[in-house]
Amino acid sequence: MCGILAVLGCADWSQAKRARVLSCSRRLKHRGPDWSGLFQCEGNFLAQQRLSVVSPLSGDQPLYNEDRTVVVVANGEIYNHKKIRKQFAAKHTFTTGSDCEVIIPLYEEYGENFVNMLDGVFSFVLYDTRNKTYMAARDAVGVNPLYFGRGSDGSVWIASEMKALHEDCPKFELFPPGSLYSSAAGGFRRWYNPQWFDEHVPATAYQPLVLREAFEKAVIKRLMTDVPFGVLLSGGLDSSLVASVTKRHLIETEAAKKFGTELHSFVVGLEGSPDLKAAREVADYLGTIHHEFHFTVQDGIDAIEEVIYHNETYDVTTIRASTPMFLMARKIKALGVKMVLSGEGSDELLGGYLYFHFAPNKEEFHKETCRKVKALHQYDCLRANKATSAWGLEVRVPFLDKEFIDVAMSMDPEWKLYDADLGRIEKWVLRKAFDDEKEPYLPRHILYRQKEQFSDGVGYNWIDGLKAFTEQQVTDEMMKGAAEEYPYNTPVNKEAYYYRMIFERLYPQESARETVPWGPSIACSTPAAIEWVAQWKASNDPSGRLIASHNDAAPAHAHANGNGNGAVANGKANGNGTANGNANANANGTLVPC
């Protein structure tokens, strides 16, 4: 992952302004430690910090057309770049091996109406010196981060991370996924308009081989690399399938010719955590070179401020899950690995979170998956991208391939519903698609392993340790004044308050706090899904362990909701705080979505 910064339409063209832009761009150097570049044309600046994964020796940015009248800075992977290169071989002279260079001939051929021709994830800014116009775009669901702001002189600032612009823009916001900004048109418009976006319930029948093939293609195209890579492997369904498909098809790729057919896998957890055990089993089955990283609760607590700085959020579940990933990314990068594949996105597309068991009908189920996918850029995409890019490590997420999304979201949601009578657990459609007796992808008990939230899977003591620590850092008196101190998105417990204090110190602007989503949640639900079960409204902990259909529900004194209501037992709401007969709800949770 690279870092980009564009400052456009400045009234000041001075050397001092150029130095300021350079200074702001350097705040993104963790994303791209390999090289940096800056283009200036009058009061327009395009800067990039590069992480070289494709064509390390020839892909430095900014990128230009032949006469240097069109310039681009990009953070992205364009998986169909070779096909586009062939399309324009007779018309355009390519000067680098960068996959992002194809943006230029597409623009010259089609104007601004080319973004949907890119197969990949990206954020980019293009400046045309001939007519002094510019455009910027962000990928379909916001895998790559991007922010948009305006300087006090009316200039437009566009950056990969908030830290590059928050001090120079009185107002800024998230650049919306699936959208482009055009200076010629004077605003934003959506370039990504899939059928599912309007939340109409689809009727396409479930075709397991179609789903399997779409995912395998998504994995294979993400093996486009000129540097060593690996896979993140928690031992859960999603990461295990990513590892299995990668291992199965690696020998067919260009990457295998450069780095061999051995696949490295990585996991992080507290000693004895569920993920460590499950990941080791999958790694042994697949034959990966497996790397197991341990951390302590204190290690995680010590990293919290850095995590908030890099992730630019005060969302509780994002911080909980980001911290182990942040620690692991540093270890991975130290081994010389620059790119990893990961399993984000499957739960949103296929209804994999345990609360989906309680969707009242297929219509509500589908609408919730739509809401979850639309919000990914504020949660799991943000976490995976920023927690790894903090150490110059690129993460690729095949479940969020545009074609795979189309297949998954066009399926009749009746097939995705939890149905114990039919033996369908969460994500049954994915499990069934890869349930191959002749050439198994995974052992059956792994293929049908129940969902763990990442922050739980790394070790249940991690969440409990955070709560205990923040309980000591925030007084009861501070909590009484929370609404006065933080009237916007008021923290509802001490853990949330502690994270908010750090965030406000790092990013004190009103626009900064407005980039963070807020609202009630249960087990990663959206606020709308809280309505499915009346007792959930009283819950004060977002952990998936609250859903008592979880096979290993934790002792309720640590993990049930805050007032004795809302536990769910054996698929039915139970208003007296019991789950599987052993709950005493008195935990101190948080009321935010994950």
Side-chain angles (χ1 to χ4, degrees):
M1 291 296 169
C2 304
I4 63 172
L5 170 66
V7 185
L8 302 146
C10 292
D12 181 3
W13 309 353
S14 67
Q15 178 59 34
K17 187 65 175 184
R18 182 182 177 93
R20 178 59 184 171
V21 173
L22 281 169
S23 176
C24 292
S25 176
R26 290 188 188 111
R27 296 177 186 177
L28 304 174
K29 190 176 287 187
H30 54 277
R31 297 185 62 88
D34 298 334
W35 190 250
S36 59
L38 173 65
F39 163 84
Q40 180 182 0
C41 177
E42 300 177 342
N44 303 286
F45 303 84
L46 272 66
Q48 200 239 21
Q49 303 288 336
R50 187 187 182 206
L51 179 70
S52 54
V53 174
V54 174
S55 188
L57 298 179
S58 71
D60 293 341
Q61 297 191 31
L63 301 165
Y64 301 90
N65 66 347
E66 293 90 338
D67 61 6
R68 299 176 75 87
T69 56
V70 176
V71 57
V72 167
V73 288
N75 166 32
E77 304 95 48
I78 311 301
Y79 301 120
N80 62 338
H81 78 104
K82 290 185 178 179
K83 180 180 178 181
I84 298 173
R85 282 173 178 269
K86 289 180 181 178
Q87 177 186 346
F88 289 100
K91 296 182 179 181
H92 180 84
T93 302
F94 291 93
T95 58
T96 78
S98 170
D99 49 304
C100 292
E101 189 178 352
V102 298
I103 292 170
I104 294 171
L106 284 170
Y107 168 77
E108 291 184 317
E109 183 75 14
Y110 301 105
E112 295 178 346
N113 301 312
F114 69 87
V115 183
N116 63 334
M117 302 176 192
L118 299 173
D119 181 9
V121 295
F122 49 81
S123 55
F124 69 83
V125 181
L126 179 150
Y127 183 74
D128 190 332
T129 64
R130 297 167 298 191
N131 52 25
K132 298 185 179 181
T133 61
Y134 58 88
M135 65 171 292
R138 189 177 182 189
D139 65 70
V141 295
V143 172
N144 286 7
L146 200 61
Y147 293 80
F148 180 94
R150 289 194 179 273
S152 56
D153 61 352
S155 57
V156 168
W157 291 59
I158 301 170
S160 294
E161 295 184 2
M162 186 165 64
K163 58 182 63 67
L165 56 72
H166 73 112
E167 291 179 350
D168 293 79
C169 296
K171 293 289 290 184
F172 54 90
E173 61 188 323
L174 294 168
F175 193 111
S179 300
L180 68 83
Y181 180 86
S182 167
S183 66
F188 288 94
R189 71 172 185 269
R190 289 197 60 80
W191 65 264
Y192 179 58
N193 297 289
Q195 291 185 347
W196 63 265
F197 203 81
D198 292 330
E199 302 182 7
H200 296 305
V201 179
T204 304
Y206 167 53
Q207 301 176 73
L209 292 182
V210 172
L211 190 69
R212 182 202 292 188
E213 182 180 336
F215 182 66
E216 290 191 305
K217 286 182 178 178
V219 172
I220 292 167
K221 69 177 69 170
R222 281 160 179 77
L223 301 181
M224 177 187 79
T225 178
D226 293 321
V227 297
F229 74 99
V231 294
L232 304 186
L233 179 61
S234 70
L237 173 67
D238 304 332
S239 66
S240 297
L241 282 178
V242 171
S244 178
V245 173
T246 302
K247 181 68 175 177
R248 182 167 296 204
H249 293 284
L250 180 57
I251 194 171
E252 308 160 10
T253 67
E254 290 292 321
K257 297 176 183 177
K258 300 167 187 170
F259 307 111
T261 58
E262 296 285 1
L263 179 63
H264 290 258
S265 57
F266 308 95
V267 67
V268 66
L270 303 179
E271 289 277 4
S273 68
D275 281 359
L276 296 182
K277 179 182 177 182
R280 169 59 64 184
E281 185 176 4
V282 175
D284 289 344
Y285 178 82
L286 297 177
T288 67
I289 300 173
H290 192 56
H291 307 268
E292 188 175 285
F293 304 125
H294 298 168
F295 78 104
T296 66
V297 172
Q298 189 61 55
D299 291 334
I301 289 171
D302 290 344
I304 289 293
E305 182 160 340
E306 280 187 287
V307 169
I308 293 173
Y309 171 75
H310 282 288
N311 280 41
E312 303 176 325
T313 187
Y314 49 85
D315 174 65
V316 172
T317 47
T318 300
I319 294 167
R320 288 176 175 181
S322 294
T323 304
M325 199 171 196
F326 174 85
L327 297 171
M328 175 172 58
R330 187 176 192 179
K331 291 280 192 178
I332 293 172
K333 187 61 182 292
L335 294 176
V337 172
K338 275 190 172 183
M339 185 272 282
V340 290
L341 275 67
S342 189
E344 280 76 15
S346 172
D347 291 313
E348 288 75 13
L349 292 167
L350 302 173
Y353 294 109
L354 297 180
Y355 75 90
F356 275 97
H357 290 194
F358 305 96
N361 52 56
K362 72 176 187 179
E363 290 80 13
E364 282 300 311
F365 187 106
H366 179 69
K367 289 178 181 179
E368 178 70 359
T369 61
C370 294
R371 291 189 291 261
K372 289 292 291 180
V373 175
K374 291 176 185 178
L376 267 168
H377 67 287
Q378 294 179 291
Y379 297 107
D380 283 20
C381 288
L382 179 150
R383 167 184 56 78
N385 185 287
K386 291 183 178 180
T388 54
S389 64
W391 301 107
L393 179 68
E394 177 172 298
V395 66
R396 295 181 179 178
V397 285
F399 281 110
L400 295 179
D401 179 82
K402 203 164 47 167
E403 292 179 20
F404 183 79
I405 292 174
D406 287 344
V407 172
M409 295 299 283
S410 64
M411 185 192 312
D412 186 338
E414 185 75 33
W415 292 94
K416 299 180 184 178
L417 290 173
Y418 172 83
D419 191 327
D421 294 336
L422 294 177
R424 295 180 184 174
I425 63 173
E426 66 279 352
K427 290 187 292 191
W428 176 84
V429 292
L430 184 64
R431 301 174 198 272
K432 183 66 175 176
F434 285 91
D435 194 350
D436 188 328
E437 293 184 4
K438 292 183 179 180
E439 298 182 74
Y441 287 78
L442 294 168
R444 281 186 61 84
H445 66 283
I446 294 291
L447 192 61
Y448 290 92
R449 182 190 181 203
Q450 192 176 54
K451 166 71 180 174
E452 291 269 11
Q453 288 191 131
F454 181 71
S455 53
D456 286 341
V458 298
Y460 291 143
N461 288 339
W462 166 233
I463 304 302
D464 300 333
L466 279 176
K467 290 180 179 180
F469 171 76
T470 55
E471 186 75 24
Q472 297 172 352
Q473 306 306 308
V474 179
T475 67
D476 293 341
E477 195 65 28
M478 292 164 73
M479 282 305 302
K480 289 179 182 177
E484 183 176 349
E485 183 71 15
Y486 304 115
Y488 183 85
N489 288 351
T490 302
V492 298
N493 59 49
K494 293 183 178 182
E495 186 182 3
Y497 195 107
Y498 180 73
Y499 300 156
R500 186 63 175 274
M501 286 194 300
I502 297 172
F503 180 89
E504 292 282 343
R505 185 170 72 252
L506 296 169
Y507 304 106
Q509 296 83 2
E510 181 180 357
S511 289
R513 65 183 70 102
E514 290 176 351
T515 65
V516 181
W518 203 249
S521 176
I522 186 79
C524 289
S525 74
T526 68
I530 292 290
E531 302 299 320
W532 292 353
V533 177
Q535 288 83 359
W536 287 356
K537 298 175 186 179
S539 174
N540 211 26
D541 188 332
S543 173
R545 291 172 286 171
L546 283 174
I547 305 295
S549 56
H550 197 294
N551 293 332
D552 299 308
H557 67 82
H559 309 299
N561 63 70
N563 60 9
N565 293 323
V568 176
N570 299 324
K572 296 180 180 179
N574 184 340
N576 64 9
T578 64
N580 295 332
N582 66 354
N584 263 326
N586 61 9
N588 200 0
T590 182
L591 204 62
V592 294
C594 65

